[in-house]
Amino acid sequence: MRTNKMLHAMKVSELQEHFITELMTILPEWKFVKSQRLFKKKHGDLIWYLYISCINHDSDFDAVGNVAVEYLSGKERICIVGAELGNIEGCGQTRFPVSSLNEAIDSAHALFKFFEEIGLPFLTKYSQPKEVVSVLRSGGKSAMLISPLINQHETQIKNLCQKYGIGM
């Protein structure tokens, strides 16, 4: 009996494929970049990202959602800020378990709902360059959440101020 169950178990890679495919149907207006396992959506000189991390186990995986806003000047990146959805909410890393086809579909919808509730407001808020500059200038936990490399904060502030005419 155990052998029969193992023969019908899906590979982790197949579960991931079903999970991503379900997300693609939920996010039709977002472009999926398979090589980077991310969804992106362009907004003028900004790109919004929803990146999916997979924490693999022997026969299943946990999915984690991360969001980011990238500011561009032409094709050059001038700033990128982002965070993991659970950390944005303040509850720590939030994982969506996938061990079967049904769970792949259910977890994709659960992650999407969490993205709508937590990720989209983050993307909207940090699509305002003045907001990013204000948070980075203030420092502390909020600045570290959106940009954990503190040595880049001054450059990010300078680049955003120059591009958007924000007072230094």
Side-chain angles (χ1 to χ4, degrees):
M1 182 80 101
R2 182 175 173 85
T3 306
N4 191 26
K5 182 179 178 188
M6 289 178 71
L7 288 174
H8 296 293
M10 295 184 86
K11 293 180 183 176
V12 172
S13 61
E14 292 172 326
L15 291 172
Q16 289 173 355
E17 194 173 311
H18 285 288
F19 177 82
I20 293 295
T21 299
E22 188 64 22
L23 278 176
M24 290 169 67
T25 64
I26 302 169
L27 295 161
E29 68 279 3
W30 291 67
K31 179 182 178 188
F32 181 66
V33 181
K34 184 176 183 175
S35 63
Q36 298 173 2
R37 202 180 285 141
L38 64 78
F39 292 84
K40 69 183 201 175
K41 188 173 184 182
K42 192 151 175 59
H43 292 271
D45 59 354
L46 301 175
I47 299 177
W48 284 3
Y49 294 101
L50 169 61
Y51 176 77
I52 307 300
S53 301
C54 294
I55 299 133
N56 294 335
H57 308 113
D58 288 340
S59 61
D60 61 7
F61 75 97
D62 295 327
V64 176
N66 307 275
V67 292
V69 177
E70 180 179 31
Y71 286 85
L72 301 170
S73 180
K75 292 188 178 200
E76 181 183 342
R77 175 190 293 167
I78 60 170
C79 180
I80 188 166
V81 295
E84 189 273 328
L85 295 173
N87 288 330
I88 295 167
E89 187 185 43
C91 64
Q93 187 182 73
T94 302
R95 295 182 180 198
F96 297 85
V98 177
S99 61
S100 68
L101 177 58
N102 286 340
E103 202 168 44
I105 293 167
D106 292 345
S107 287
H109 285 269
L111 188 145
F112 175 73
K113 183 175 186 243
F114 198 50
F115 168 68
E116 280 188 311
E117 294 169 359
I118 305 300
L120 285 176
F122 178 96
L123 293 171
T124 300
K125 178 179 182 177
Y126 291 108
S127 290
Q128 306 303 317
K130 286 183 181 181
E131 183 67 28
V132 175
V133 168
S134 174
V135 169
L136 293 177
R137 280 184 176 156
S138 297
K141 286 177 82 171
S142 293
M144 291 301 291
L145 172 69
I146 68 169
S147 181
L149 302 175
I150 196 165
N151 63 333
Q152 293 182 6
H153 290 187
E154 284 305 315
T155 302
Q156 292 170 316
I157 291 167
K158 182 182 128 214
N159 289 346
L160 288 171
C161 287
Q162 287 176 349
K163 166 105 172 134
Y164 295 98
I166 300 167
M168 295 288 277

